[in-house]
Amino acid sequence: MTKLIVGNWKMNGLKADARLRLGEIVTPVSADIDVAYSIVLCPPATLLGYVRQALDDLYICGEATISVGAQDCHAESHGAFTGDIAPRMLTDMGCTHVIVGHSERRHGHGETDAQVAAKAQAAHQAGLITIICLGETESERTAGHHFDVVSRQIKGSLPSGVTPANTVVAYEPVWAIGTGKTATADDVREMHAHIRQQCGEGMTILYGGSVKPGNAAEILSTPNVDGVLVGGASLVAADFVAIARAASGG
Ligand code: 13P
């Protein structure tokens, strides 16, 4: 199955960095893209239109391309929401995907499961594919509550109307994000089996949290891991390419 490799640039990058990084990603992946893996890049909102245009200029081959996704959206279609971005504004810029419920939004901005579900539903209505993030904190895992937390997040954050065509689920244990601590292969296998059981066979399930070139092959070959959501390492073109290549066996 084609793996999905998503780069979440978070709040990093200006136009010049993006142009350089895209140039270094597009050429090495052009032979494999959409064969061994698909790629979605999620730059900050300020760069979405710029990255889409730059990728179109760099052009890969045939129908294959790198998709562009946003890191968040609002649940309303328009209105007095200063600083927010509606899903339709994202499709207007050429986005096909949007991340919702990232732990940095849940924990840094107090987003609840219900808010995440409302955002995802609005994104689906606009025709976007949502990447809905789930994951327990370190204290929840230490207390042995990780399966319950993720079950509650699945129940609360996936809106009605979720299908494998409009949704990707990303398991990102909060304690593994940006810490260099990766979940063990057993942790990943157990949690992905748990998510698979609840979300069904067709759902794409990503792992995220300190994915690097050195651990990508093992993570990507774990059962029920359909791809990875990469933060820090997606800012280094060579590392991101190496992670994608791990999906094609190196
Ligand atoms: P890191 O890869 O930097 O741990 O970040 C993971 C992440 O949050 C991706 O969304």
Side-chain angles (χ1 to χ4, degrees), residues 8 10 102 104 172 176-179 208-211 229-233:
N8 176 8
K10 307 193 179 183
H102 192 279
E104 286 149 18
E172 295 205 305
I177 296 177
T179 57
S210 297
V211 176
L229 177 50
V230 187

Side-chain angles (χ1 to χ4, degrees), residues 7 10 14 21 24-26 30-31 40 48 52 75-76 96 99 119 124 140 145 173 193 205 232 242:
K10 307 193 179 183
L14 304 175
R21 191 175 307 137
E24 289 170 359
I25 291 173
V26 166
S30 61
V40 180
L48 288 168
R52 181 65 273 158
E76 297 294 332
T96 49
I99 297 171
K119 288 179 176 203
H124 292 156
E140 288 166 338
H145 296 154
I205 307 173

Side-chain angles (χ1 to χ4, degrees), residues 21 89 95 144 158 177 206 209 222 224 233:
R21 191 175 307 137
M89 295 170 177
C95 293
L158 272 57
I177 296 177
L206 309 182
T222 304
N224 294 309

